[in-house]
Amino acid sequence: MGIFSTGFAALTLLGLILLKLFPAKWRWLVLLGLSWGFYAFCGLGPFAVLLAVTGLGYAAGRRLSALNARLAALDKGDKAQTEALRGRKKRTLALALVLLFGALFAFKYLSGLTAGLDRLLGLGWSLPALFVPLGLSYYCFQSAGYMIDCYRGGVTAERSFPRYALFVAFFPQLTEGPIGRYGDLAPQLADPKPLTWESAKTGLQLILWGALKKLVIADRAAVVVSEIYGNYTAYGGVMIAVGVLFYCIQLYCDFSGTIDVVRGVAYLLGVELAENFRRPIFAVSLTDYWRRWHISLGAWLRDYMFYPISLSRWYQKISRRLRKRLGGRFGKILPTSLVTFLIYFVIGVWHGSSLKYLAFGVYNGVIITAGLLAEPLFEKFCVSRGIDRKSRDMRAFGMLRTTCIVFVGRYLTRAGSLRAALAMLWKTVRHPIPSQFSSGALFRLGLTGMDLALIGCGVLAVLFVEARTERGDDLDGALERRRGLRTLLTFLALAVLLLFGVFRGSYIPTEMIYQQF
Amino acid sequence: MKQTIERILGELCPGVDLESETLIDEGLIDSFDLVSLVGELMDEFDVELTVEDLLPENFNSVDAIVELIARKR
């Protein structure tokens, strides 16, 4: 059951009715029932995996919090006992994380890895593909964050198993995130806010905007993307670049649209989820882009990987040696740059085990690390030429540069393989065949002129809203003051959604892209 | 101590407002700068800082950093 399905809409509606009927103290249980029902409907195998991961997180959290309590009660002079308890805490967390990520690895990567090794080394065998439980990596990362928070003592473990289970399985965010934090989410889930006119308005507005992006823009762009990426050998470089441009549009409208719907549904149910996007189109560097795109994953990797590795004793020793040996600014930033590279490599691998994702991770990691290391030189260059790096022109230059870098990266993530992605890039550079484009090939890719016009208008609307929001304009407040315009726009959006999104033409609606990760 | 911290901060993030009370909240110091800063502080003042110390309130201003180091010494 996908988020853009009648079943999901019915589930949300049922949730709203039940939340209204049940007294406040049972509302969290209603949400758990709906969430488990939703997941069990997706398959009993995946549901069993969800329960196992929930049980693991619950048990590990309780154990870690119990050890924290014993540590706090200990006499400060008792160093031997303190060390022993700290050691047990570390072992508990390590075991829980190994089991958790072991499960993620087994379901998501193992089969692909053995198939890859078979192709490479001719082993003659590979493991059959297992089912990949819906949203596995999202709830595994969320559970891991909870366990680490318990280990650090930032949160006290949840005593009630069903309440903890709701934190892991809250159905709107289960399939595509955002990856929530226990400290933010658990109090809201324990006591969901009652539906008010204001929250209904905000929630429905988010759902409408998200559905427009996904069903009207992304699903149409997907037709062009499938055709060009699937038959790239038939197209020249210019048409391939057009396909990649459509993929960029599809990916952003698909993921951000789905997250808007997820946040809107959660809003209606009385829970405010964290934002997952902050207008990535306006990023001035690749680092800035990753701070704005899939924010919850980036923040997770920062808090639970980047900081712990960078500040661990063993890495600090390496850092000190590098600082002493290399000296200067280079010596200071190299150790942190290396961890940064690792993080972006992990972002690539998070998407999947195939070579193209590894290449995507390396591509991002190399560019960002090189940028960090070259930063002093660039700064010196700007000072010597009197260039103001905060000027409007430099911001525009930064945005253009970032767009180009992200654009090239998108060859990798959608192509069938690394080889196909490289071939597509090669054709773009060396065999553009612009005549293909000018002869109207765009209109022979499965979309009508009307469809293309809808994509164009949709993209302009998205850009307009994002540009105004980036500038700090309060669009919501402005529309609140002009209620007539608001009503008109809402009806217009609804009409466009129904006419061109729900009762669409002959093309097939696509699955949400980030659901597969 | 304050002057040393200001020097380190100035070197790591050229142009940063050393009087700011919202270095982290406003993103004047990002995660990369923060880790580099912590490394430098540990070297300079011979203290051990851990992930648990990486709270915005400990790094939002030069004074907050001074307090953190004083606590850790």
Side-chain angles (χ1 to χ4, degrees), chain A residues 152 291 302 306-308 310-311 313 316 320 323 329 332-333 336-337 340 372, chain B residues 11-12 30-32 34-36 38-40 42-43 48-52 54:
Chain A
R152 291 177 182 168
R291 272 198 289 263
R302 180 196 65 205
F306 179 70
Y307 285 152
S310 304
L311 297 181
R313 279 186 193 162
Q316 278 300 320
R320 266 190 207 114
R323 280 201 289 268
R329 190 173 155 85
K332 282 177 190 171
I333 58 176
T336 320
S337 304
T340 307
L372 289 167
Chain B
E11 281 173 10
L12 280 174
D30 62 17
S31 52
F32 185 88
L34 186 60
V35 165
S36 306
V38 168
E40 295 265 314
M42 288 200 282
D43 275 2
E48 194 178 333
L49 298 173
T50 63
V51 178
E52 287 80 3
L54 293 188

Side-chain angles (χ1 to χ4, degrees), chain A residues 52-63 96 100 143 146-147 150 157 164 168:
Chain A
V53 167
T54 308
L56 175 68
Y58 175 75
R62 289 295 304 270
R63 177 90 183 132
L100 184 71
S143 306
Y146 166 77
M147 292 192 283
C150 286
Y164 174 70
V168 180

Side-chain angles (χ1 to χ4, degrees), chain A residues 374-389 394 397 401:
Chain A
E375 170 62 24
L377 287 177
F378 189 55
E379 173 68 22
K380 209 180 248 180
F381 172 79
C382 288
V383 170
S384 68
R385 300 288 166 98
I387 299 170
D388 176 10
R389 293 182 68 181
M394 281 305 280
F397 169 70
R401 185 186 54 190

Side-chain angles (χ1 to χ4, degrees), chain A residues 183-203:
Chain A
D184 299 329
L185 211 51
Q188 295 193 69
L189 291 169
D191 184 20
K193 284 184 205 155
L195 190 66
T196 61
W197 170 239
E198 277 307 308
S199 61
K201 207 166 57 178
T202 309

